[in-house]
PDB file of all heavy atoms in Angstrom:
ATOM      1  N   ALA U   7      -8.038 171.776 -16.812  1.00  0.00           N
ATOM      2  CA  ALA U   7      -9.269 170.998 -16.849  1.00  0.00           C
ATOM      3  C   ALA U   7      -9.074 169.518 -16.609  1.00  0.00           C
ATOM      4  O   ALA U   7      -7.960 168.989 -16.750  1.00  0.00           O
ATOM      5  CB  ALA U   7      -9.931 171.227 -18.221  1.00  0.00           C
ATOM      6  N   ASP U   8     -10.140 168.854 -16.275  1.00  0.00           N
ATOM      7  CA  ASP U   8     -10.156 167.403 -16.159  1.00  0.00           C
ATOM      8  C   ASP U   8     -10.771 166.759 -17.403  1.00  0.00           C
ATOM      9  O   ASP U   8     -10.368 165.664 -17.782  1.00  0.00           O
ATOM     10  CB  ASP U   8     -11.003 167.013 -14.954  1.00  0.00           C
ATOM     11  CG  ASP U   8     -10.427 167.524 -13.661  1.00  0.00           C
ATOM     12  OD1 ASP U   8      -9.438 166.981 -13.165  1.00  0.00           O
ATOM     13  OD2 ASP U   8     -10.984 168.508 -13.131  1.00  0.00           O
ATOM     14  N   VAL U   9     -11.711 167.454 -18.026  1.00  0.00           N
ATOM     15  CA  VAL U   9     -12.448 166.898 -19.146  1.00  0.00           C
ATOM     16  C   VAL U   9     -12.585 167.935 -20.246  1.00  0.00           C
ATOM     17  O   VAL U   9     -12.833 169.124 -19.969  1.00  0.00           O
ATOM     18  CB  VAL U   9     -13.873 166.452 -18.714  1.00  0.00           C
ATOM     19  CG1 VAL U   9     -14.701 165.939 -19.936  1.00  0.00           C
ATOM     20  CG2 VAL U   9     -13.797 165.412 -17.602  1.00  0.00           C
ATOM     21  N   PHE U  10     -12.439 167.516 -21.485  1.00  0.00           N
ATOM     22  CA  PHE U  10     -12.735 168.334 -22.674  1.00  0.00           C
ATOM     23  C   PHE U  10     -13.716 167.559 -23.485  1.00  0.00           C
ATOM     24  O   PHE U  10     -13.502 166.374 -23.815  1.00  0.00           O
ATOM     25  CB  PHE U  10     -11.445 168.600 -23.486  1.00  0.00           C
ATOM     26  CG  PHE U  10     -11.667 169.415 -24.722  1.00  0.00           C
ATOM     27  CD1 PHE U  10     -11.618 170.794 -24.724  1.00  0.00           C
ATOM     28  CD2 PHE U  10     -11.952 168.768 -25.946  1.00  0.00           C
ATOM     29  CE1 PHE U  10     -11.803 171.537 -25.883  1.00  0.00           C
ATOM     30  CE2 PHE U  10     -12.153 169.501 -27.094  1.00  0.00           C
ATOM     31  CZ  PHE U  10     -12.085 170.920 -27.054  1.00  0.00           C
ATOM     32  N   VAL U  11     -14.830 168.187 -23.862  1.00  0.00           N
ATOM     33  CA  VAL U  11     -15.841 167.465 -24.599  1.00  0.00           C
ATOM     34  C   VAL U  11     -16.351 168.304 -25.792  1.00  0.00           C
ATOM     35  O   VAL U  11     -16.502 169.535 -25.681  1.00  0.00           O
ATOM     36  CB  VAL U  11     -17.051 167.086 -23.694  1.00  0.00           C
ATOM     37  CG1 VAL U  11     -17.688 168.285 -23.030  1.00  0.00           C
ATOM     38  CG2 VAL U  11     -18.104 166.255 -24.455  1.00  0.00           C
ATOM     39  N   HIS U  12     -16.482 167.654 -26.947  1.00  0.00           N
ATOM     40  CA  HIS U  12     -17.034 168.346 -28.149  1.00  0.00           C
ATOM     41  C   HIS U  12     -17.843 167.349 -28.953  1.00  0.00           C
ATOM     42  O   HIS U  12     -17.770 166.126 -28.782  1.00  0.00           O
ATOM     43  CB  HIS U  12     -15.880 168.931 -28.981  1.00  0.00           C
ATOM     44  CG  HIS U  12     -15.152 167.917 -29.832  1.00  0.00           C
ATOM     45  ND1 HIS U  12     -15.617 167.458 -31.013  1.00  0.00           N
ATOM     46  CD2 HIS U  12     -13.928 167.345 -29.641  1.00  0.00           C
ATOM     47  CE1 HIS U  12     -14.744 166.610 -31.548  1.00  0.00           C
ATOM     48  NE2 HIS U  12     -13.713 166.518 -30.708  1.00  0.00           N
ATOM     49  N   ASN U  13     -18.708 167.904 -29.805  1.00  0.00           N
ATOM     50  CA  ASN U  13     -19.472 167.066 -30.746  1.00  0.00           C
ATOM     51  C   ASN U  13     -19.348 167.600 -32.169  1.00  0.00           C
ATOM     52  O   ASN U  13     -20.273 167.516 -32.974  1.00  0.00           O
ATOM     53  CB  ASN U  13     -20.924 166.926 -30.329  1.00  0.00           C
ATOM     54  CG  ASN U  13     -21.669 168.271 -30.275  1.00  0.00           C
ATOM     55  OD1 ASN U  13     -21.091 169.316 -29.984  1.00  0.00           O
ATOM     56  ND2 ASN U  13     -22.989 168.240 -30.496  1.00  0.00           N
ATOM     57  N   MET U  14     -18.182 168.124 -32.486  1.00  0.00           N
ATOM     58  CA  MET U  14     -17.873 168.532 -33.854  1.00  0.00           C
ATOM     59  C   MET U  14     -17.554 167.293 -34.671  1.00  0.00           C
ATOM     60  O   MET U  14     -17.257 166.227 -34.149  1.00  0.00           O
ATOM     61  CB  MET U  14     -16.635 169.456 -33.859  1.00  0.00           C
ATOM     62  CG  MET U  14     -16.812 170.814 -33.226  1.00  0.00           C
ATOM     63  SD  MET U  14     -15.294 171.756 -33.279  1.00  0.00           S
ATOM     64  CE  MET U  14     -14.527 171.164 -31.761  1.00  0.00           C
ATOM     65  N   ARG U  15     -17.533 167.475 -35.984  1.00  0.00           N
ATOM     66  CA  ARG U  15     -16.994 166.444 -36.863  1.00  0.00           C
ATOM     67  C   ARG U  15     -15.512 166.334 -36.556  1.00  0.00           C
ATOM     68  O   ARG U  15     -14.821 167.313 -36.233  1.00  0.00           O
ATOM     69  CB  ARG U  15     -17.191 166.785 -38.335  1.00  0.00           C
ATOM     70  CG  ARG U  15     -18.635 166.635 -38.790  1.00  0.00           C
ATOM     71  CD  ARG U  15     -18.685 166.576 -40.296  1.00  0.00           C
ATOM     72  NE  ARG U  15     -19.515 167.660 -40.839  1.00  0.00           N
ATOM     73  CZ  ARG U  15     -19.688 167.857 -42.131  1.00  0.00           C
ATOM     74  NH1 ARG U  15     -19.084 167.097 -43.005  1.00  0.00           N
ATOM     75  NH2 ARG U  15     -20.466 168.850 -42.561  1.00  0.00           N
ATOM     76  N   LEU U  16     -14.994 165.122 -36.612  1.00  0.00           N
ATOM     77  CA  LEU U  16     -13.626 164.906 -36.193  1.00  0.00           C
ATOM     78  C   LEU U  16     -12.604 165.696 -37.001  1.00  0.00           C
ATOM     79  O   LEU U  16     -11.632 166.239 -36.467  1.00  0.00           O
ATOM     80  CB  LEU U  16     -13.307 163.409 -36.270  1.00  0.00           C
ATOM     81  CG  LEU U  16     -14.206 162.489 -35.467  1.00  0.00           C
ATOM     82  CD1 LEU U  16     -13.771 161.057 -35.576  1.00  0.00           C
ATOM     83  CD2 LEU U  16     -14.292 162.925 -34.011  1.00  0.00           C
ATOM     84  N   GLY U  17     -12.834 165.824 -38.294  1.00  0.00           N
ATOM     85  CA  GLY U  17     -11.946 166.591 -39.142  1.00  0.00           C
ATOM     86  C   GLY U  17     -11.960 168.070 -38.756  1.00  0.00           C
ATOM     87  O   GLY U  17     -10.923 168.734 -38.790  1.00  0.00           O
ATOM     88  N   ALA U  18     -13.137 168.586 -38.428  1.00  0.00           N
ATOM     89  CA  ALA U  18     -13.236 170.002 -38.030  1.00  0.00           C
ATOM     90  C   ALA U  18     -12.474 170.268 -36.768  1.00  0.00           C
ATOM     91  O   ALA U  18     -11.790 171.286 -36.609  1.00  0.00           O
ATOM     92  CB  ALA U  18     -14.723 170.381 -37.855  1.00  0.00           C
ATOM     93  N   ALA U  19     -12.546 169.346 -35.801  1.00  0.00           N
ATOM     94  CA  ALA U  19     -11.790 169.513 -34.558  1.00  0.00           C
ATOM     95  C   ALA U  19     -10.283 169.519 -34.815  1.00  0.00           C
ATOM     96  O   ALA U  19      -9.538 170.337 -34.267  1.00  0.00           O
ATOM     97  CB  ALA U  19     -12.142 168.375 -33.593  1.00  0.00           C
ATOM     98  N   GLN U  20      -9.835 168.683 -35.731  1.00  0.00           N
ATOM     99  CA  GLN U  20      -8.413 168.633 -36.044  1.00  0.00           C
ATOM    100  C   GLN U  20      -7.979 169.958 -36.721  1.00  0.00           C
ATOM    101  O   GLN U  20      -6.928 170.520 -36.390  1.00  0.00           O
ATOM    102  CB  GLN U  20      -8.142 167.474 -37.007  1.00  0.00           C
ATOM    103  CG  GLN U  20      -8.249 166.095 -36.355  1.00  0.00           C
ATOM    104  CD  GLN U  20      -7.109 165.797 -35.382  1.00  0.00           C
ATOM    105  OE1 GLN U  20      -6.102 166.470 -35.363  1.00  0.00           O
ATOM    106  NE2 GLN U  20      -7.335 164.799 -34.533  1.00  0.00           N
ATOM    107  N   ARG U  21      -8.816 170.464 -37.613  1.00  0.00           N
ATOM    108  CA  ARG U  21      -8.455 171.709 -38.334  1.00  0.00           C
ATOM    109  C   ARG U  21      -8.371 172.915 -37.368  1.00  0.00           C
ATOM    110  O   ARG U  21      -7.603 173.842 -37.600  1.00  0.00           O
ATOM    111  CB  ARG U  21      -9.458 171.993 -39.470  1.00  0.00           C
ATOM    112  CG  ARG U  21      -9.313 171.029 -40.636  1.00  0.00           C
ATOM    113  CD  ARG U  21     -10.143 171.467 -41.819  1.00  0.00           C
ATOM    114  NE  ARG U  21     -11.578 171.410 -41.571  1.00  0.00           N
ATOM    115  CZ  ARG U  21     -12.310 170.327 -41.734  1.00  0.00           C
ATOM    116  NH1 ARG U  21     -11.756 169.162 -42.135  1.00  0.00           N
ATOM    117  NH2 ARG U  21     -13.620 170.363 -41.511  1.00  0.00           N
ATOM    118  N   LEU U  22      -9.164 172.857 -36.298  1.00  0.00           N
ATOM    119  CA  LEU U  22      -9.144 173.916 -35.289  1.00  0.00           C
ATOM    120  C   LEU U  22      -7.997 173.742 -34.290  1.00  0.00           C
ATOM    121  O   LEU U  22      -7.840 174.570 -33.381  1.00  0.00           O
ATOM    122  CB  LEU U  22     -10.479 173.982 -34.561  1.00  0.00           C
ATOM    123  CG  LEU U  22     -11.619 174.707 -35.246  1.00  0.00           C
ATOM    124  CD1 LEU U  22     -12.922 174.537 -34.457  1.00  0.00           C
ATOM    125  CD2 LEU U  22     -11.313 176.205 -35.415  1.00  0.00           C
ATOM    126  N   GLY U  23      -7.254 172.662 -34.411  1.00  0.00           N
ATOM    127  CA  GLY U  23      -6.198 172.400 -33.445  1.00  0.00           C
ATOM    128  C   GLY U  23      -6.742 171.865 -32.131  1.00  0.00           C
ATOM    129  O   GLY U  23      -6.117 172.051 -31.088  1.00  0.00           O
ATOM    130  N   LEU U  24      -7.880 171.144 -32.217  1.00  0.00           N
ATOM    131  CA  LEU U  24      -8.529 170.637 -30.999  1.00  0.00           C
ATOM    132  C   LEU U  24      -8.579 169.145 -30.990  1.00  0.00           C
ATOM    133  O   LEU U  24      -9.468 168.528 -30.347  1.00  0.00           O
ATOM    134  CB  LEU U  24      -9.927 171.211 -30.872  1.00  0.00           C
ATOM    135  CG  LEU U  24     -10.019 172.753 -30.795  1.00  0.00           C
ATOM    136  CD1 LEU U  24     -11.479 173.186 -30.704  1.00  0.00           C
ATOM    137  CD2 LEU U  24      -9.213 173.276 -29.603  1.00  0.00           C
ATOM    138  N   GLY U  25      -7.666 168.457 -31.698  1.00  0.00           N
ATOM    139  CA  GLY U  25      -7.616 167.000 -31.633  1.00  0.00           C
ATOM    140  C   GLY U  25      -7.023 166.524 -30.333  1.00  0.00           C
ATOM    141  O   GLY U  25      -6.399 167.284 -29.575  1.00  0.00           O
ATOM    142  N   TYR U  26      -7.182 165.236 -30.066  1.00  0.00           N
ATOM    143  CA  TYR U  26      -6.725 164.681 -28.811  1.00  0.00           C
ATOM    144  C   TYR U  26      -5.204 164.794 -28.674  1.00  0.00           C
ATOM    145  O   TYR U  26      -4.688 165.134 -27.596  1.00  0.00           O
ATOM    146  CB  TYR U  26      -7.134 163.204 -28.719  1.00  0.00           C
ATOM    147  CG  TYR U  26      -6.535 162.458 -27.518  1.00  0.00           C
ATOM    148  CD1 TYR U  26      -6.897 162.839 -26.232  1.00  0.00           C
ATOM    149  CD2 TYR U  26      -5.640 161.426 -27.687  1.00  0.00           C
ATOM    150  CE1 TYR U  26      -6.339 162.174 -25.122  1.00  0.00           C
ATOM    151  CE2 TYR U  26      -5.093 160.748 -26.596  1.00  0.00           C
ATOM    152  CZ  TYR U  26      -5.445 161.157 -25.315  1.00  0.00           C
ATOM    153  OH  TYR U  26      -4.923 160.540 -24.222  1.00  0.00           O
ATOM    154  N   GLU U  27      -4.488 164.542 -29.726  1.00  0.00           N
ATOM    155  CA  GLU U  27      -3.013 164.595 -29.633  1.00  0.00           C
ATOM    156  C   GLU U  27      -2.545 165.951 -29.202  1.00  0.00           C
ATOM    157  O   GLU U  27      -1.654 166.110 -28.358  1.00  0.00           O
ATOM    158  CB  GLU U  27      -2.401 164.212 -30.984  1.00  0.00           C
ATOM    159  CG  GLU U  27      -2.643 162.767 -31.409  1.00  0.00           C
ATOM    160  CD  GLU U  27      -4.064 162.568 -31.998  1.00  0.00           C
ATOM    161  OE1 GLU U  27      -4.765 163.594 -32.233  1.00  0.00           O
ATOM    162  OE2 GLU U  27      -4.432 161.402 -32.166  1.00  0.00           O
ATOM    163  N   THR U  28      -3.165 166.986 -29.785  1.00  0.00           N
ATOM    164  CA  THR U  28      -2.771 168.370 -29.422  1.00  0.00           C
ATOM    165  C   THR U  28      -3.079 168.694 -27.983  1.00  0.00           C
ATOM    166  O   THR U  28      -2.235 169.226 -27.246  1.00  0.00           O
ATOM    167  CB  THR U  28      -3.492 169.365 -30.364  1.00  0.00           C
ATOM    168  OG1 THR U  28      -3.108 169.078 -31.697  1.00  0.00           O
ATOM    169  CG2 THR U  28      -3.122 170.788 -30.041  1.00  0.00           C
ATOM    170  N   LEU U  29      -4.291 168.416 -27.547  1.00  0.00           N
ATOM    171  CA  LEU U  29      -4.735 168.806 -26.204  1.00  0.00           C
ATOM    172  C   LEU U  29      -4.092 167.920 -25.119  1.00  0.00           C
ATOM    173  O   LEU U  29      -3.777 168.414 -24.016  1.00  0.00           O
ATOM    174  CB  LEU U  29      -6.266 168.767 -26.079  1.00  0.00           C
ATOM    175  CG  LEU U  29      -7.019 169.717 -27.010  1.00  0.00           C
ATOM    176  CD1 LEU U  29      -8.489 169.756 -26.603  1.00  0.00           C
ATOM    177  CD2 LEU U  29      -6.409 171.093 -27.039  1.00  0.00           C
ATOM    178  N   SER U  30      -3.862 166.680 -25.411  1.00  0.00           N
ATOM    179  CA  SER U  30      -3.233 165.815 -24.401  1.00  0.00           C
ATOM    180  C   SER U  30      -1.763 166.185 -24.171  1.00  0.00           C
ATOM    181  O   SER U  30      -1.232 165.901 -23.094  1.00  0.00           O
ATOM    182  CB  SER U  30      -3.369 164.334 -24.775  1.00  0.00           C
ATOM    183  OG  SER U  30      -2.672 164.057 -25.996  1.00  0.00           O
ATOM    184  N   GLU U  31      -1.127 166.796 -25.165  1.00  0.00           N
ATOM    185  CA  GLU U  31       0.228 167.296 -24.934  1.00  0.00           C
ATOM    186  C   GLU U  31       0.234 168.420 -23.892  1.00  0.00           C
ATOM    187  O   GLU U  31       1.144 168.546 -23.095  1.00  0.00           O
ATOM    188  CB  GLU U  31       0.827 167.815 -26.240  1.00  0.00           C
ATOM    189  CG  GLU U  31       1.237 166.733 -27.181  1.00  0.00           C
ATOM    190  CD  GLU U  31       1.903 167.253 -28.436  1.00  0.00           C
ATOM    191  OE1 GLU U  31       2.127 168.502 -28.502  1.00  0.00           O
ATOM    192  OE2 GLU U  31       2.179 166.495 -29.380  1.00  0.00           O
ATOM    193  N   ARG U  32      -0.852 169.230 -23.935  1.00  0.00           N
ATOM    194  CA  ARG U  32      -0.942 170.303 -22.928  1.00  0.00           C
ATOM    195  C   ARG U  32      -1.368 169.773 -21.581  1.00  0.00           C
ATOM    196  O   ARG U  32      -1.082 170.391 -20.535  1.00  0.00           O
ATOM    197  CB  ARG U  32      -1.984 171.346 -23.400  1.00  0.00           C
ATOM    198  CG  ARG U  32      -1.755 171.889 -24.787  1.00  0.00           C
ATOM    199  CD  ARG U  32      -0.550 172.807 -24.904  1.00  0.00           C
ATOM    200  NE  ARG U  32      -0.668 174.078 -24.210  1.00  0.00           N
ATOM    201  CZ  ARG U  32      -0.668 175.265 -24.867  1.00  0.00           C
ATOM    202  NH1 ARG U  32      -0.519 175.301 -26.194  1.00  0.00           N
ATOM    203  NH2 ARG U  32      -0.719 176.402 -24.183  1.00  0.00           N
ATOM    204  N   ASN U  33      -2.076 168.643 -21.533  1.00  0.00           N
ATOM    205  CA  ASN U  33      -2.586 168.099 -20.277  1.00  0.00           C
ATOM    206  C   ASN U  33      -2.704 166.584 -20.411  1.00  0.00           C
ATOM    207  O   ASN U  33      -3.753 166.085 -20.857  1.00  0.00           O
ATOM    208  CB  ASN U  33      -3.951 168.730 -19.962  1.00  0.00           C
ATOM    209  CG  ASN U  33      -4.492 168.263 -18.642  1.00  0.00           C
ATOM    210  OD1 ASN U  33      -3.991 167.340 -17.990  1.00  0.00           O
ATOM    211  ND2 ASN U  33      -5.641 168.840 -18.224  1.00  0.00           N
ATOM    212  N   PRO U  34      -1.684 165.842 -20.050  1.00  0.00           N
ATOM    213  CA  PRO U  34      -1.726 164.369 -20.241  1.00  0.00           C
ATOM    214  C   PRO U  34      -2.789 163.682 -19.426  1.00  0.00           C
ATOM    215  O   PRO U  34      -3.212 162.559 -19.745  1.00  0.00           O
ATOM    216  CB  PRO U  34      -0.329 163.918 -19.760  1.00  0.00           C
ATOM    217  CG  PRO U  34       0.515 165.137 -19.891  1.00  0.00           C
ATOM    218  CD  PRO U  34      -0.364 166.286 -19.598  1.00  0.00           C
ATOM    219  N   ARG U  35      -3.295 164.318 -18.334  1.00  0.00           N
ATOM    220  CA  ARG U  35      -4.328 163.717 -17.504  1.00  0.00           C
ATOM    221  C   ARG U  35      -5.772 163.996 -18.055  1.00  0.00           C
ATOM    222  O   ARG U  35      -6.750 163.573 -17.471  1.00  0.00           O
ATOM    223  CB  ARG U  35      -4.260 164.257 -16.098  1.00  0.00           C
ATOM    224  CG  ARG U  35      -3.082 163.677 -15.297  1.00  0.00           C
ATOM    225  CD  ARG U  35      -2.928 164.344 -13.942  1.00  0.00           C
ATOM    226  NE  ARG U  35      -4.158 164.355 -13.160  1.00  0.00           N
ATOM    227  CZ  ARG U  35      -4.614 163.352 -12.404  1.00  0.00           C
ATOM    228  NH1 ARG U  35      -3.915 162.235 -12.346  1.00  0.00           N
ATOM    229  NH2 ARG U  35      -5.757 163.462 -11.730  1.00  0.00           N
ATOM    230  N   LEU U  36      -5.837 164.678 -19.175  1.00  0.00           N
ATOM    231  CA  LEU U  36      -7.132 165.109 -19.705  1.00  0.00           C
ATOM    232  C   LEU U  36      -7.958 163.929 -20.212  1.00  0.00           C
ATOM    233  O   LEU U  36      -7.455 163.022 -20.860  1.00  0.00           O
ATOM    234  CB  LEU U  36      -6.866 166.047 -20.882  1.00  0.00           C
ATOM    235  CG  LEU U  36      -8.143 166.700 -21.491  1.00  0.00           C
ATOM    236  CD1 LEU U  36      -8.750 167.730 -20.509  1.00  0.00           C
ATOM    237  CD2 LEU U  36      -7.806 167.363 -22.825  1.00  0.00           C
ATOM    238  N   ILE U  37      -9.244 163.940 -19.848  1.00  0.00           N
ATOM    239  CA  ILE U  37     -10.232 163.046 -20.468  1.00  0.00           C
ATOM    240  C   ILE U  37     -10.814 163.805 -21.635  1.00  0.00           C
ATOM    241  O   ILE U  37     -11.499 164.810 -21.458  1.00  0.00           O
ATOM    242  CB  ILE U  37     -11.342 162.642 -19.456  1.00  0.00           C
ATOM    243  CG1 ILE U  37     -10.742 162.030 -18.181  1.00  0.00           C
ATOM    244  CG2 ILE U  37     -12.305 161.688 -20.127  1.00  0.00           C
ATOM    245  CD1 ILE U  37      -9.860 160.839 -18.390  1.00  0.00           C
ATOM    246  N   TYR U  38     -10.516 163.343 -22.833  1.00  0.00           N
ATOM    247  CA  TYR U  38     -10.953 163.980 -24.084  1.00  0.00           C
ATOM    248  C   TYR U  38     -12.107 163.170 -24.620  1.00  0.00           C
ATOM    249  O   TYR U  38     -11.944 162.006 -24.997  1.00  0.00           O
ATOM    250  CB  TYR U  38      -9.787 164.000 -25.058  1.00  0.00           C
ATOM    251  CG  TYR U  38     -10.061 164.635 -26.405  1.00  0.00           C
ATOM    252  CD1 TYR U  38      -9.659 165.927 -26.700  1.00  0.00           C
ATOM    253  CD2 TYR U  38     -10.704 163.899 -27.404  1.00  0.00           C
ATOM    254  CE1 TYR U  38      -9.897 166.480 -27.957  1.00  0.00           C
ATOM    255  CE2 TYR U  38     -10.953 164.440 -28.651  1.00  0.00           C
ATOM    256  CZ  TYR U  38     -10.535 165.739 -28.937  1.00  0.00           C
ATOM    257  OH  TYR U  38     -10.723 166.316 -30.173  1.00  0.00           O
ATOM    258  N   ALA U  39     -13.298 163.764 -24.680  1.00  0.00           N
ATOM    259  CA  ALA U  39     -14.485 163.011 -25.063  1.00  0.00           C
ATOM    260  C   ALA U  39     -15.176 163.676 -26.233  1.00  0.00           C
ATOM    261  O   ALA U  39     -15.371 164.904 -26.248  1.00  0.00           O
ATOM    262  CB  ALA U  39     -15.453 162.919 -23.896  1.00  0.00           C
ATOM    263  N   CYS U  40     -15.530 162.877 -27.214  1.00  0.00           N
ATOM    264  CA  CYS U  40     -16.257 163.424 -28.375  1.00  0.00           C
ATOM    265  C   CYS U  40     -17.241 162.401 -28.916  1.00  0.00           C
ATOM    266  O   CYS U  40     -17.106 161.196 -28.698  1.00  0.00           O
ATOM    267  CB  CYS U  40     -15.285 163.877 -29.485  1.00  0.00           C
ATOM    268  SG  CYS U  40     -14.204 162.577 -30.076  1.00  0.00           S
TER     269      CYS U  40
END
């Protein structure tokens, strides 16, 4: 992907393993937007 976007509470995203640090490791070019 080029973009990942969510509107969860930030803590909920982290608990699901969907924080920026986690996803950017899989794709450093990712635009992570919340």
Side-chain angles (χ1 to χ4, degrees):
D8 299 284
V9 177
F10 178 89
V11 58
H12 77 80
N13 61 330
M14 293 178 274
R15 287 197 240 178
L16 302 182
Q20 291 289 345
R21 288 190 294 274
L22 279 173
L24 301 179
Y26 174 64
E27 295 78 10
T28 300
L29 298 192
S30 63
E31 285 183 7
R32 307 290 289 244
N33 182 354
R35 286 173 53 83
L36 185 70
I37 306 303
Y38 179 102
C40 58

